[in-house]
DNA sequence: ACCTGAACACCGTTCAAGT
DNA sequence: ACCTGAACACCGTTCAAGT
């Protein structure tokens, strides 16, 4: 299942990879630096060379999590046509799928702690991609305020649906219906009209 | 600030009260059974009589958290008139205020772990109140599916906005605008029409 | 029924020492 | 620069014993 000859330059990456697995199995509570060190075959003090403390590891995990989610969203957008409704649903599904596969990581990403620089940057990139998903900005700039509000509302709604799924408060199939309802509602809204058409 | 003569019948309540304070100060990570025991003036083994393990305490905290949020939502509804838009905004503000004042507790409440019986019940009560906020059910029952979807979408959106605020990804004043946008969008939607009017 | 206090295994963090 | 290994303080959990 796992090799042995690590700790020769890529320990940091090895620790992060292993951490993602542990996160999936045992959640944040099951994640310990000593256990990670054990799994990668180094002494318990070794991780210190790459992460000043446990929180630093969690921050790094959140950062890479955002990167992976961004990639997933980009892929979803690339795979969907030009239709705005289809694009929205694609992004929403990428969000929810990620929340299901890596619930603990998703929690980590959307928590107050991630005040790290790299984490903020990764999160910002995701929001930029989300912005791009809304299609080209109106030539005259449009209603900038409406566009920002719409974007945040979209993110909040996706985040909310993902949280409901991750916390097992709703089933996967109900999520699909919710995504349909949410995207439909947002697309038909007056706010979207102001956000995406020239004023 | 804190009294001394506890541990005479209400230790459980004392531990929970103290835990809420610690949660506000230091988050979930700063919450330890031994520290709680120390603060309430009992031995480190005493909490065991009321909570089988740390997770049981967290579950109990989540449960009382839902109860308090339910109370806040009820109060908000009682203070607002019959206008649906006003009622929605009132509920949304109760949600977001709670998420700001008790961010760590809010996280605890909306996590996968809360599989406790009491927690589920408390959460269910909140959703019932949310249902009531939508006004009387149409006499003919209306579109039951639409009503459920709308309710979940409302919860998801509130949850999403609260999460964005709690994780300090958006400012408090931006939240107000978001709430306005979200409630406006939802009220104007076709889904709401199907959910709240007789078919 | 509820609480005490010792015991055990585990953890995060620090740090001098090695290579 | 990166890793080892001892050391320290803290924690969750268990359990026999007290009241």
């Amino acid at each position: 299942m796992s090799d042995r000859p690590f700790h020769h330059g890529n320990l940091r990456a090895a620790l992060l990879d292993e951490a993602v697995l542990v996160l999936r199995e045992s959640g944040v509570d099951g994640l310990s630096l000593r256990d990670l060190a054990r799994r990668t075959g180094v002494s318990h003090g070794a991780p210190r060379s790459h992460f000043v403390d446990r929180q630093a590891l969690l921050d790094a995990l959140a950062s890479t999590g955002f990167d992976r989610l961004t990639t997933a969203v980009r892929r979803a957008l690339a795979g969907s046509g030009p239709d705005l409704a289809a694009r929205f649903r694609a992004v929403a599904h990428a969000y929810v799928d990620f929340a299901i596969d890596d619930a603990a990581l998703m929690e980590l990403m959307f928590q107050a702690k991630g005040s790290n620089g790299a984490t903020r940057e990764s999160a910002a990139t995701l929001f930029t991609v989300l912005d791009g998903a809304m299609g080209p900005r109106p030539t005259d700039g449009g209603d900038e305020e409406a566009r920002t509000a719409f974007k945040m509302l979209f993110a909040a709604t996706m985040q909310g649906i993902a949280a409901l799924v991750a916390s097992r408060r709703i089933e996967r199939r109900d999520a699909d219906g919710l995504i349909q309802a949410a995207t439909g509602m947002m697309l038909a809204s007056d706010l979207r009209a102001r956000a995406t058409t020239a004023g």
Side-chain angles (χ1 to χ4, degrees), chain A residues 17-39:
Chain A
D17 286 347
E18 198 66 37
V20 172
L21 299 181
V22 176
L23 220 41
R24 269 199 273 256
E25 283 178 21
S26 325
V28 207
D29 296 336
L31 200 68
S32 98
L33 286 175
R34 288 179 105 107
D35 180 51
L36 243 38
R38 230 175 281 127
R39 284 166 179 259

Side-chain angles (χ1 to χ4, degrees), chain A residues 136-192:
Chain A
R137 195 175 286 265
T139 46
D140 66 345
D143 187 339
E144 192 60 38
E145 221 171 299
R147 192 176 174 92
T148 299
F150 185 77
K151 215 167 52 185
M152 290 204 295
L153 197 52
F154 178 74
T157 307
M158 290 309 100
Q159 164 67 14
I161 294 176
L164 286 179
V165 173
S167 65
R168 308 199 178 284
R169 224 164 292 273
I170 66 173
E171 300 279 341
R172 173 66 216 256
R173 58 175 165 280
D174 294 329
D176 287 342
L178 257 197
I179 289 171
Q180 287 278 1
T183 52
M185 180 179 293
M186 295 191 73
L187 283 168
S189 74
D190 176 64
L191 187 64
R192 186 206 65 93

Side-chain angles (χ1 to χ4, degrees), chain A residues 11-145:
Chain A
L11 177 58
R12 190 194 140 93
L15 287 170
L16 285 176
D17 286 347
E18 198 66 37
V20 172
L21 299 181
V22 176
L23 220 41
R24 269 199 273 256
E25 283 178 21
S26 325
V28 207
D29 296 336
L31 200 68
S32 98
L33 286 175
R34 288 179 105 107
D35 180 51
L36 243 38
R38 230 175 281 127
R39 284 166 179 259
T40 50
V42 293
S43 75
H44 70 260
R48 182 65 203 282
S49 300
H50 303 278
F51 307 102
V52 283
D53 56 17
R54 197 183 112 108
Q55 189 55 51
L57 173 81
L58 297 185
D59 287 347
L61 276 171
S63 180
T64 59
F66 274 115
D67 292 342
R68 281 176 47 213
L69 180 53
T70 300
T71 302
V73 168
R74 277 207 175 103
R75 211 188 307 264
L77 283 172
S80 62
D83 178 49
L84 197 54
R87 293 170 73 80
F88 266 44
R89 278 197 299 273
V91 172
H93 275 113
Y95 245 87
V96 174
D97 286 346
F98 191 93
I100 290 172
D101 292 339
D102 286 292
L105 181 56
M106 191 81 171
E107 270 175 21
L108 217 56
M109 288 158 57
F110 290 95
Q111 265 176 8
K113 289 102 167 237
S115 41
N116 191 341
T119 307
R120 281 190 187 289
E121 215 172 300
S122 296
T125 304
L126 173 63
F127 275 68
T128 304
V129 173
L130 247 38
D131 187 63
M134 293 175 60
R137 195 175 286 265
T139 46
D140 66 345
D143 187 339
E144 192 60 38
E145 221 171 299

